């Protein structure tokens, strides 16, 4: 409830009738400002459809400047802010904000939070998709070793980049070429989900199918990669930037062991 309490205060400050009044130009509200706010809310509530009929007599259509001042200046406390009188005050403030009542506002915040979480998760899912697309492009450049392709997705100082660079450099030195003609090489990523969700760390798990055909040098010796595996991505936030820090791939280095 504390989150809802703080959110309502922010919404009141951003309300057009408040922003476009003298209150919008004041950094710190005093008693006189809460009197103005009380009048603004009273004018809006007098026209509110939600307060036409019995509900007007149940909860009223005014909020005193004293109550508003307490609401804005006091920290949230369960005992104080969960009694019936104060909940009725929140009902009226939420009606002022354009909602049916407090419960409607709580539902709106809940749905908005869920939507934000889904959008945030999608950002990290897309990071895995982009990484796999970059890996495929990286292979297409063989025998040129262009690790700079990963600079926007993987931290330079990460153990993952160091390890992947070591494995791939060996293949480039052995003159591996990826065969892409007639879709001979392809990949698919699916079933990505978040395993660990922390403010500065995300761990994602994905199912990946890699079907790759490499030819070696002028002799044309062929090496196949045909694997379905579960990969784990460790994504970190450093200096407010999210990138991949490490990865667990059970088949990493498989081609390096082929002689």
């Amino acid at each position: 409830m504390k989150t809802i309490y703080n959110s309502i205060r922010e919404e009141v400050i951003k309300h057009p009738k408040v922003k476009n009044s003298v209150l919008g130009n004041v950094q710190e509200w005093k008693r006189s400002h809460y009197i103005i706010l009380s009048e603004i809310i009273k004018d809006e509530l007098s026209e509110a459809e939600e307060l036409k009929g019995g509900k007007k007599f149940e909860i009223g259509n005014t909020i005193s400047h004293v109550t508003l001042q307490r609401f804005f200046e006091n920290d949230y406390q369960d005992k104080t802010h969960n009694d019936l009188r104060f909940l009725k005050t929140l009902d009226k403030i939420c009606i002022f904000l354009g909602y049916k009542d407090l419960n409607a506002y709580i539902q709106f915040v809940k749905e908005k939070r869920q939507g934000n979480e889904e959008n945030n998760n999608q950002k990290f899912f897309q990071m895995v998709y982009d990484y796999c697309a970059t890996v495929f492009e990286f292979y297409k450049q063989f025998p040129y070793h262009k690790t700079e392709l990963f600079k926007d997705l993987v931290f330079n100082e990460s153990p993952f980049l160091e390890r992947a660079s070591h494995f791939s450099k060996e293949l480039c030195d052995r003159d591996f070429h990826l065969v892409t003609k007639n879709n001979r090489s392809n990949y698919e990523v699916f079933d990505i989900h978040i395993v660990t969700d922390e403010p500065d760390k995300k761990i994602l798990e994905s199912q990946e199918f890699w079907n790759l055909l490499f030819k070696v040098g002028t002799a044309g010796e062929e090496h196949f990669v045909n694997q379905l595996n579960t990969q784990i991505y460790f994504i970190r936030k450093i200096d407010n930037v999210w990138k991949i820090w490490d990865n667990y791939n059970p088949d990493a280095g498989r081609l390096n062991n082929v002689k």
Side-chain angles (χ1 to χ4, degrees), residues 64-77:
S64 74
H65 72 275
V66 175
T67 299
L68 288 170
Q69 190 164 1
R70 284 202 303 265
F71 173 63
F72 275 90
E73 294 184 353
N74 295 346
D75 291 332
Y76 176 84
Q77 296 176 357

Side-chain angles (χ1 to χ4, degrees), residues 18-111:
V18 176
K19 284 186 68 175
N20 294 329
S21 72
V22 66
L23 302 179
N25 298 315
V26 178
Q27 293 296 321
E28 184 177 352
W29 291 351
K30 303 295 184 183
R31 177 179 177 275
S32 59
H33 298 115
Y34 290 107
I35 293 174
I36 295 172
L37 179 61
S38 177
E39 289 297 315
I40 291 173
I41 292 177
K42 183 182 75 171
D43 290 345
E44 286 293 297
L45 293 183
S46 67
E47 302 294 329
E49 290 292 330
E50 288 79 8
L51 290 178
K52 290 181 178 177
K55 192 158 187 175
K56 174 182 176 181
F57 299 100
E58 178 188 341
I59 68 173
N61 65 349
T62 62
I63 306 174
S64 74
H65 72 275
V66 175
T67 299
L68 288 170
Q69 190 164 1
R70 284 202 303 265
F71 173 63
F72 275 90
E73 294 184 353
N74 295 346
D75 291 332
Y76 176 84
Q77 296 176 357
D78 287 332
K79 184 177 181 180
T80 305
H81 296 111
N82 276 319
D83 66 40
L84 184 58
R85 287 176 302 173
F86 192 74
L87 291 177
K88 287 182 178 180
T89 296
L90 291 182
D91 265 336
K92 287 183 280 189
I93 294 176
C94 289
I95 292 170
F96 165 70
L97 293 174
Y99 301 89
K100 180 180 178 181
D101 52 23
L102 173 61
N103 287 333
Y105 182 77
I106 292 173
Q107 184 62 29
F108 165 77
V109 171
K110 181 180 177 182
E111 292 174 357

Side-chain angles (χ1 to χ4, degrees), residues 22-244:
V22 66
L23 302 179
N25 298 315
V26 178
Q27 293 296 321
E28 184 177 352
W29 291 351
K30 303 295 184 183
R31 177 179 177 275
S32 59
H33 298 115
Y34 290 107
I35 293 174
I36 295 172
L37 179 61
S38 177
E39 289 297 315
I40 291 173
I41 292 177
K42 183 182 75 171
D43 290 345
E44 286 293 297
L45 293 183
S46 67
E47 302 294 329
E49 290 292 330
E50 288 79 8
L51 290 178
K52 290 181 178 177
K55 192 158 187 175
K56 174 182 176 181
F57 299 100
E58 178 188 341
I59 68 173
N61 65 349
T62 62
I63 306 174
S64 74
H65 72 275
V66 175
T67 299
L68 288 170
Q69 190 164 1
R70 284 202 303 265
F71 173 63
F72 275 90
E73 294 184 353
N74 295 346
D75 291 332
Y76 176 84
Q77 296 176 357
D78 287 332
K79 184 177 181 180
T80 305
H81 296 111
N82 276 319
D83 66 40
L84 184 58
R85 287 176 302 173
F86 192 74
L87 291 177
K88 287 182 178 180
T89 296
L90 291 182
D91 265 336
K92 287 183 280 189
I93 294 176
C94 289
I95 292 170
F96 165 70
L97 293 174
Y99 301 89
K100 180 180 178 181
D101 52 23
L102 173 61
N103 287 333
Y105 182 77
I106 292 173
Q107 184 62 29
F108 165 77
V109 171
K110 181 180 177 182
E111 292 174 357
K112 182 179 178 181
R113 186 182 300 125
Q114 289 174 341
N116 289 340
E117 288 176 356
E118 290 174 4
N119 290 337
N120 193 48
N121 290 348
Q122 188 59 44
K123 177 179 74 173
F124 295 106
F125 296 162
Q126 189 61 49
M127 191 176 295
V128 173
Y129 288 124
D130 291 345
Y131 170 75
C132 291
T134 303
V135 169
F136 193 64
E137 181 62 31
F138 179 63
Y139 289 154
K140 286 163 66 175
Q141 301 297 320
F142 278 17
Y144 299 104
H145 192 241
K146 295 187 175 182
T147 55
E148 63 271 18
L149 293 174
F150 297 105
K151 64 184 175 73
D152 293 331
L153 292 166
V154 183
F155 284 112
N156 282 331
E157 65 276 20
S158 67
F160 178 33
L161 187 60
E162 181 179 350
R163 190 169 59 250
S165 179
H166 172 75
F167 287 147
S168 57
K169 183 65 166 60
E170 182 181 316
L171 298 181
C172 287
D173 290 343
R174 291 166 59 187
D175 204 19
F176 270 58
H177 298 255
L178 184 70
V179 178
T180 57
K181 187 176 181 180
N182 297 325
N183 199 33
R184 291 296 303 275
S185 296
N186 50 69
Y187 72 96
E188 184 177 357
V189 184
F190 54 97
D191 194 24
I192 303 178
H193 64 277
I194 293 181
V195 178
T196 298
D197 190 353
E198 298 178 6
D200 296 321
K201 180 179 71 176
K202 314 290 179 186
I203 299 178
L204 277 67
E205 182 179 272
S206 69
Q207 297 291 317
E208 299 178 14
F209 173 70
W210 291 88
N211 179 55
L212 307 173
L213 171 61
F214 289 95
K215 287 190 176 183
V216 183
T218 55
E221 177 186 351
E222 294 184 341
H223 294 293
F224 293 94
V225 173
N226 187 272
Q227 61 193 38
L228 172 66
N229 59 32
T230 299
Q231 295 204 34
I232 308 293
Y233 292 88
F234 301 84
I235 301 174
R236 292 178 57 186
K237 182 167 74 170
I238 300 176
D239 295 332
N240 211 35
V241 174
W242 287 99
K243 288 186 183 182
I244 298 171

